[in-house]
Amino acid sequence: MSTVSHRPWRPPISDLTPEQNQSDDPLEPSALEAASDALRMRSSHVPSPGDRRRALGAILGGAIGDALGAPFEFGPAGAFGKRFPEPVLGGRGEMVGGGAFHWAPGEFTDDTQMAVILAESLLEHGGLDPASLFGWWSAWADLAADVGSTTRVALAVDDWRTAAESAHRTTGRSAANGALMRVAPVGVAMARHGDAPWVADATVALARAQAALTHHDPAAGWGAALFAEALRRTVLGIDPMTALASSIRLLPDSHRDTFDDLLAPDWSPGYRDAPRNGSVWGCLAEAVWAVRLGSGDVSQTLRLAIDRGGDTDTVACVAGALVGAHRGIQAIPARWLTYVHGVVATPDGDIDRYSAADLQGLARRLLGLDEPGPGASERRNGPVEVADGLHAASLPAAIAHVGDGNDVAVFSLCRTDGAFAHLDVRREAYIVDQNGGANPDLRFVVDEAVATIEAWLAEGRRVLVHCHGGRSRTGLVLIAWAMRHHGWSYRDARGWLEDRWPHFDPWNDDFQSFLERDWS
């Protein structure tokens, strides 16, 4: 259980007004130098498979938290838990859409839209190009369904150099959470450099500069910088709470004490004077509180974040990015990972669409990795009904079988390149067909797959399970299902599958060891 902090919250103590405090202007030419060249700098770091999983988890976790929280934005506390008292394993899961802006199920909002634009701009220019980024954000805001109030006023100003200050003078405040919610790509991109001595300062400079384009209050920039640097360290495998504690030391005294108080282990959003989660302080504090209380469980973390009420999509977006960076993409439920998507306006007024696969590709590019190549060509193996209503197949056979109108729920265990996007009920799990510890959350993935198959069958659906060739990953999940469904031993369940599915190949020793020793 959390405890309520006895430490009263106050805004940062400073003798300077926000205008004076920006004498340390992150958009001054000398300050912009590190931000402008951030991605082009050289380092000897080679991202590990773990770095890759955590980078994917950060980008997808943020987008998923955003999409899950969107229907409950501006609503009361506890609304998510009231609507979904238990995890929804069947059907489409909890991705329901709706809310004040009528989001489609799984659609991310302005939080992730701005983050995607930031990411694409960083990749295009090798760092921050403030004029280009501001112009893209401005073009996006003209078409966006939802734009934060501080951000909207700033982006309506023609000159990026004066936009944030002008907006601050108009609104009287600018310490909102809009610069924080979009900053995750900075942390992921800078993780490509590892822990070279200059990386922390460059990350802070980049995070503050992107914040200063729309949010004049220094607190907005320092909060974004704190989160970006903590996220970078978390992607590199450091515990998120340790990463936050070390990143706080990079802040000036006038802001360090405030964030240190709000992110302390004994802080709770139940304290009567806690800042609202529409502010940078309250948003980051509630997100970190949810990650800490969720103990590394992605589902529990996002449930806690959304059930705070208020700015639910943004708190969940920040919490999702941090817990995703901590646990990696494999720990994110497939029922959420499958459906997350969104649209982003381009500078010329076109619309780009981003699926979960597109977001994964974006995360890889931010980390400096190439896109994975296509798998080897496979035959149309199956589909074959291995149990009542339950079918096995290879990817080509699954595509051919489903076509445009077959009423079937598909559980994919490999990349599909959008082959089943037209289906209402589907899942796509993240699992790597390699030995050597390539799947640290294998139990989580298999448990969700088996529970989903059971739920779909109970709903009267025909279920099709496939991977690329229908051999190894498909066999893993079907054997696990048979062991749980029938109470069989590994040997009996494997014999059952071999009798019904001749394409099963038990080459992956990690999978077979897991089934024989760890699964029940």
Side-chain angles (χ1 to χ4, degrees):
M1 298 291 292
S2 65
T3 58
V4 176
S5 174
H6 299 291
R7 185 185 295 107
W9 176 82
R10 296 182 181 87
I13 298 173
S14 174
D15 294 328
L16 304 178
T17 67
E19 290 80 359
Q20 293 170 319
N21 212 350
Q22 285 289 26
S23 59
D24 172 27
D25 186 356
L27 295 180
E28 283 291 328
S30 58
L32 275 175
E33 184 176 353
S36 299
D37 294 330
L39 272 65
R40 288 189 292 265
M41 299 293 286
R42 293 183 179 274
S43 71
S44 60
H45 180 72
V46 177
S48 69
D51 295 344
R52 182 182 67 245
R53 288 191 298 269
R54 290 185 289 268
L56 294 172
I59 297 300
L60 272 296
I64 286 166
D66 181 13
L68 278 173
F72 304 92
E73 188 181 17
F74 311 129
F80 183 86
K82 183 177 180 179
R83 183 165 182 177
F84 304 116
E86 300 292 337
V88 181
L89 296 172
R92 296 177 58 96
E94 299 96 336
M95 287 292 195
V96 294
F101 297 95
H102 308 290
W103 304 106
E107 184 179 8
F108 56 69
T109 79
D110 57 318
D111 303 48
T112 305
Q113 289 169 345
M114 294 197 80
V116 166
I117 293 172
L118 174 59
E120 295 287 12
S121 181
L122 291 174
L123 290 167
E124 179 180 353
H125 297 285
L128 187 74
D129 184 313
S132 176
L133 177 59
F134 186 85
W136 192 344
W137 275 340
S138 296
W140 159 81
D142 289 341
L143 300 175
D146 181 27
V147 183
S149 57
T150 299
T151 299
R152 185 182 293 279
V153 174
L155 293 179
V157 179
D158 291 334
D159 187 354
W160 63 267
R161 297 173 184 83
T162 62
E165 183 177 0
S166 175
H168 181 87
R169 294 183 185 281
T170 298
T171 64
R173 60 185 186 277
S174 56
N177 58 25
L180 168 66
M181 72 185 190
R182 67 194 186 212
V183 79
V186 171
V188 173
M190 295 306 290
R192 67 166 63 186
H193 298 303
D195 268 328
W198 52 269
V199 177
D201 288 342
T203 302
V204 169
L206 180 52
R208 291 186 67 213
Q210 66 82 31
L213 290 173
T214 54
H215 290 67
H216 188 62
D217 193 309
W222 285 116
L226 166 59
F227 182 68
E229 173 59 8
L231 192 74
R232 180 188 72 83
R233 297 184 186 197
T234 303
V235 168
L236 295 176
I238 297 173
D239 176 82
M241 299 306 148
T242 302
L244 282 161
S246 58
S247 299
I248 285 176
R249 299 178 192 140
L250 300 172
L251 274 60
D253 291 344
S254 57
H255 295 276
R256 183 190 307 138
D257 290 345
T258 298
F259 282 108
D260 197 31
D261 287 349
L262 290 169
L263 303 184
D266 66 343
W267 185 87
S268 166
Y271 189 72
R272 67 181 183 276
D273 291 331
R276 294 185 177 182
N277 58 21
S279 71
V280 63
W281 306 290
C283 180
L284 184 57
E286 289 191 9
V288 171
W289 168 83
V291 173
R292 182 181 283 116
L293 199 60
S295 302
D297 185 303
V298 177
S299 300
Q300 181 67 4
T301 294
L302 293 184
R303 179 177 291 267
L304 287 164
I306 298 169
D307 267 340
R308 289 304 310 149
D311 203 352
T312 51
D313 58 329
T314 302
V315 176
C317 180
V318 176
L322 187 58
V323 74
H326 174 40
R327 291 297 310 278
I329 188 173
Q330 197 167 61
I332 298 175
R335 68 184 187 276
W336 299 346
L337 188 64
T338 300
Y339 293 109
V340 66
H341 72 283
V343 297
V344 175
T346 66
D348 56 8
D350 289 337
I351 298 293
D352 284 343
R353 300 184 182 278
Y354 285 78
S355 65
D358 296 323
L359 292 173
Q360 290 184 45
L362 181 62
R364 290 188 181 94
R365 288 187 284 130
L366 286 168
L367 202 58
L369 301 174
D370 294 331
E371 285 289 315
S377 178
E378 294 288 352
R379 296 181 177 180
R380 291 187 181 183
N381 297 330
V384 169
E385 190 171 24
V386 296
D388 288 345
L390 180 58
H391 302 75
S394 66
L395 174 59
I399 293 172
H401 177 72
V402 170
D404 294 327
N406 275 326
D407 181 19
V408 61
V410 175
F411 204 111
S412 302
L413 300 164
C414 66
R415 290 184 297 115
T416 66
D417 297 323
F420 306 107
H422 62 289
L423 294 182
D424 185 57
V425 179
R426 65 188 190 278
R427 301 285 190 272
E428 187 168 328
Y430 186 93
I431 185 168
V432 181
D433 201 359
Q434 296 176 4
N435 282 308
N439 299 283
D441 287 287
L442 185 60
R443 171 172 286 278
F444 177 83
V445 175
V446 173
D447 185 72
E448 187 189 16
V450 169
T452 301
I453 291 168
E454 287 279 64
W456 280 345
L457 292 173
E459 291 170 350
R461 303 183 189 276
R462 292 190 307 113
V463 178
L464 190 153
V465 179
H466 80 91
C467 58
H468 196 66
R471 293 186 291 268
S472 179
R473 286 169 284 191
T474 299
L476 164 70
V477 167
L478 291 177
I479 290 173
W481 172 82
M483 290 173 68
R484 176 171 291 179
H485 183 79
H486 295 290
W488 288 342
S489 67
Y490 164 70
R491 183 181 299 274
D492 289 341
R494 175 171 168 173
W496 161 82
L497 184 63
E498 290 173 334
D499 287 343
R500 287 160 176 77
W501 182 238
H503 305 289
F504 168 58
D505 184 351
W507 77 269
N508 191 310
D509 294 335
D510 282 358
F511 290 173
Q512 305 316 307
S513 176
F514 165 78
L515 289 169
E516 189 168 16
R517 299 177 186 178
D518 300 328
W519 178 256
S520 60

